[in-house]
Amino acid sequence: MPSDGDSFLPRIQSVFYAVFDNSLGPTIVYQVPEGLIAVPPPNANTLATPVTEQFAPIEPPGLTARNSSTSLVSPSDARPTSRSLYSPQKRSGSSTRFLFNFDDISKYVIPQSQLCGRLVTCSTKRHRIIGFPVQLKGKYQRNYLRYNLCFVFERGADLSCYEPVVRKVSRVLTACEEESEFLSSPNTSPAIHAILEQLYEDLNSYAETSIPIDRFNSIELKIFPFYPNPPPVKDWMVPLALINLDKRIEANWDLTMVKVCRHIDGVNHVSRIAHLADCDLALTRLAISHLLYYQVIMTIDIFQYSNMYTLRKNIQTLAVEADVKEECGPYVTKPGKPIPDWPQLLHLYSRLKPGKTVLEWMVKHEIHELGIDVRRFTSFGVIKGFLRRVHRWPVLLPSEPGTPVNEPKRTRVNSLSGWAYSPSPVVLPVDLSPSQILLRGRAPQTAPVVPSLSPDLASPPMPLSPRPTPATVSAATPGRTRRASAAEKVLEQLRNRDIQKTGGSPRTSWIQYTDPTIGITATTPTPQDSPIRAVGGTSQSRRQSLSFLPANPPPSPVLAKATISATLTPSRPTLSPSVSTTTVPRNGRESTPFPKELLPLLDGEHHTDELAVRFEAGWPLLEQWLMAIGGGEGPGDFGRVAMIYR
Amino acid sequence: MSETLLAILLVTTSAKGSTLVYRWPPSPAASPRFSRAKPDVALSRFHIDNPWRASHPSEGLPDFPEAHDAEHEWKRPARERSRSFSSAGSPSSSGRDSPKDIEYEHLFGYSSEFLANLLCPQRSMCHQKFELLVDDLAFIGHPVSAEEDGAWRFKQEKPKPAHGRGDRGREARVRKDSQTDRESSASPPRPASSEKQPATWLQRFHFVLVLDLPDPSSSASGNVTKYFDIIYEQIAFPVAAVLFQGQVLSNFVEQECDILGSLKDSCSAKGNEFSSYMIQALEASSIAPAMKTLYEAIKSSSVAYMTLHDLPLELQLPPYLDVLLHSEEEQEADLLAPSDDDDYQVWGQEMSFGYRLPSLTAWKSLILLDDGPEDVDPYANLRTSLIGTGDRTLVDGLIKFLETATMSLSLAEMASLLDWDLETQVFPTVRWLVHHRRAKVVDMVHSGLKTVFTLPAQFDAPLSELTAEFNKQFARSGVPPLPRLLVAISTSSSKENDTHFFASVVKTKELLPLYRDVVLWMLKRDMLITLHLRIRIVAPVHLKERVRHARSKKGSGRKHSKLRNQLDPSGEVFPQEIAWLSLSPKSMRRHARLPSVGGSRNSRLSELILDESGDSDSRREEENGESQDELENGSEDENEASMINDPGRATPLQRRWLSAMSDGKDPVIARRFEQINQYFDGKKTDDEILYRADMNRRELREVLLEYNDYLLTFLHPS
């Protein structure tokens, strides 16, 4: 967000109350502070108190109590007033001590009836006057009463936050006048001066005020600082707390907000938060957008090992910034590991390029040996603003003559075909990454997760055994009404396992090394995905070697507590062979089915995070779909689908 | 594009009152506003009957067709506006005029007379910026008035002829220039002008822009004010200035108003349609078509070419002005970030905001945009407009400049080719061309297209449109479709080598000319970003150790010296150092108290006087002062690698590291490294380094290769 607007509220230079005088025309009746606005010398007696005599203290009966508070504040007020007196003096010699001449603007302050009932802001050379002229019909001499209570500000002030205030003051005064002729009766109208005083002092000092006027009416005002609207929240955005939200949650908060806040950890994306919190997606978006509005969170991208990043321009200044330098190492290094020096980290950042996945980068630079937590590493750059996510934007090209559409040209199915979306029972590669499951957020609560799956998870040979068929899956999730796809079912199980693994508690202690200075309060223990998903297109052997990578963060305490942790982690190396075996029977299969709704979205305007969240399919699955759509020849080749990185 | 512009008005005041003389478009309408938030269709289903939903959990949501919502959506009644708060007295509803009269007499729900009166402020408020906001309408302009005696003349008391304010715009210069032309050609104008206007009825006039007040909550605080200011400076003020000048010199505005006024009266009397009056007015006067042109140009975000009082005017708003009104996506924050002071100076004040210009430097190049408004030949228009000035050589020079400019020629090279001065001739020309949207400054592209490109995060138009356009242009030439090309470009930078465009896309020399066109096409549409190499120097631990070791060895040889602050006499490697490490803490502290560069020299001398070797020259003394802070924090640096942030201003210790890097290197390359390492600050681009060091790319590459261990390279856009 650009210059996050000055949260300083503009200072009121002057408040004045003007009426249409029957003989004089537009006249200022009272102004606070006195004499700042030049008015023509009063040469006729009017029903209003002449400006020069404004000090005549007329205490209306109902206002004494309030006035005590006024007098309390007034000393503090004297200084700024005098200051505002001087500034015009310096510049213009002619209108020495006045802000401006009332005559200049009187036609906008007490305008003709067409302008009454509208918020009118007019400007002089150095000031801006905002008011809400009102015309009331009634038993007045001219059959109407026109008045206006105006606020004067510096010319450059942003008055957005005062607009509702001006409207409300005018509304209350109108009500008072209509009920008891508060403004027009000579008995009560002098009270307006006191109201002006209090408005001027309270709003400038406290930005709020409460002015009782009569038994029924009072002016209750609070000025809220102005924030610009936040950018629209997308389902694939990952909110990241900038303050400790937990501490701020109060019992009377909106229920959705409370639920949503609990899942803001810098890892979960909006759609997943909605499912985790069991909230409607639209309401979740609204809640996130609300937090964004108050600038207590920011959004980053979904971390996946298949992500790509690139440097942004401001690396050139941020690279030498002391706080970036000092925070980076401690933040991105896993606990207990030596902290790499900044030049080394900088070098690693500089090697993140479009077209190169984080995983490839990790392999190349042997990140695992450095003890760097890659998710934190990338998000640090994104948060600080020198790193930018490069998205994949698939485009489906029109078929060229001679190329069969959607016909799989490959006979050899690569090892990943196990990921294929298929209506038939799928044998699953075991190493399904958690993040895929994260991506297809379905509320975990909808399924009785733990009981149904724990036996499965507890068995060490699980990875080698064929995964349960859809039938078992549906049995495991009885409450579900809609079955979207087989892929979903498959993912469902894995997600369940994931839930098991994370133990449902997003906070674990390996987060505790969060560097407080960065102001990121939340992190999660689990990596968004395991190496395998990014391997998408790489060869089997590569993959095998990768699966040994400690790309996952160190086992979290939670993991250790969970019963399955022992079985899960060591089982990984044994997975690769199993994957290859599972692929064997699939050789010669037809192309992978894909949702038809995907096709129109391949126009280069939707990136893969968006598609992944929308179709609840992780990148490896999406990659399969895209390959099937494009008729690509395997890893990295999407055929007619052009994959633009930007 | 100014999405908020609603109408342009010209109002005048005479003794008889104020009149709305002309407006464009004929029937402007403000966009409807809601006093409370418009219900979000997506959320509306949450507002329905919750008890019912709670009791029917399984049935899900009933069918609530979206159309249902749309149907019940509140629509602003046609003439609702005028019936406001205190509804009575609004003339549009009271008059019950025929629709025709309403067209003639009403605008935005107000009577035109009322509006004219509103917009013609007091005399004391004239000759200054006018800004009036009424609910959701903003009126911006610069009212001008005749002198007290009713005569129109320039203000005498001010040094500048017209208004003395904001005389910075180019248009203002045009005005001044033409004014001086007139003044020099005619007799002294001021007395003349006041004499020749015995009686004018025109007292004040005001050229007003009516804007739809932008939603302040969609942008950062203060942006709306800035937005109005820019519109005022770029449009309202220049037009007012030109009109004022016309009025002062030849009673131009009054004559125009007479024409328009009588035309309106006659049309109205004859019962003609209002639209026919508007059309006739366009032919009859010159202000009317100018207002139309201006309105249309602003709405279409192009340059308005208009003529007022025989004075050609070119007005435009910054192309990215409307960005101010929207909270930007993150990526755009970069673009909006205030540019360097240098940029500000190079581009000038009026182009400093909202143009998103790259910095104008000698190592950039220029591409011409041929999609000018009028014609195919980009020069023809220019030629005709310039030939009029009679300056043959200037025209020829400019044409030659335009013919020379290509994307692979830097401005510095152009300057030398044309034998123009870079600062005083080339840059102003570039500025002029860019301001008139005839050219664009881009990063220099290698003539063999061996430039590394990447794609911007966003394109200006949807990809499908761009692809179609691309096909139209290049389909027959055998270039792969645009998405393929983009894929090739976007994957190129991840490769280990051959990341440039030639290697990843072009591949054969024969295709070079074709792909030059492709690159040009893409550059014009902001679809390519040149990646620049930036270099930083790292001093690794082993280097530091080596330096320390070498130093302590040298230092030990001198241990016996009675004087501690011994200078190193033998320093062929480190000629400018003092044996700091052998200083006692006390004397070090004493040094530390000295001001750094160019400080009090005498105090230092008092110590140096003791120096036996006596070869302290002034340069060394300067170093003394500098090195202390580095000695202080340098000690902790010793154990880990650190960056030399600004090698151009390296501390002595850093300089020692730098020279130690050259140990055992080829002396030719080492000398080159010494020469250019000052530019390795991570900010200077490769183009800039080559330009400044006057080197070629191969030489730079050799240096980078040779010193690979000590360098960090970054590729990112600038």
Side-chain angles (χ1 to χ4, degrees), chain B residues 128-144:
Chain B
Q128 66 179 19
K129 183 177 167 185
F130 177 89
E131 193 181 323
L132 176 69
L133 312 179
V134 178
D135 274 0
D136 47 7
L137 292 180
F139 301 90
I140 291 178
H142 189 99
V144 289

Side-chain angles (χ1 to χ4, degrees), chain A residues 110-146:
Chain A
I110 303 292
Q112 293 177 23
S113 59
Q114 288 101 318
L115 229 50
C116 290
R118 294 165 193 275
L119 190 73
V120 175
T121 311
C122 62
S123 308
T124 64
K125 252 185 190 141
R126 279 181 286 278
H127 294 91
R128 192 170 279 236
I129 299 101
I130 186 167
F132 192 87
V134 177
Q135 168 173 293
L136 290 178
K137 305 231 140 191
K139 299 170 288 184
Y140 306 104
Q141 263 187 15
R142 290 189 178 230
N143 291 325
Y144 61 77
L145 170 72
R146 279 190 204 154

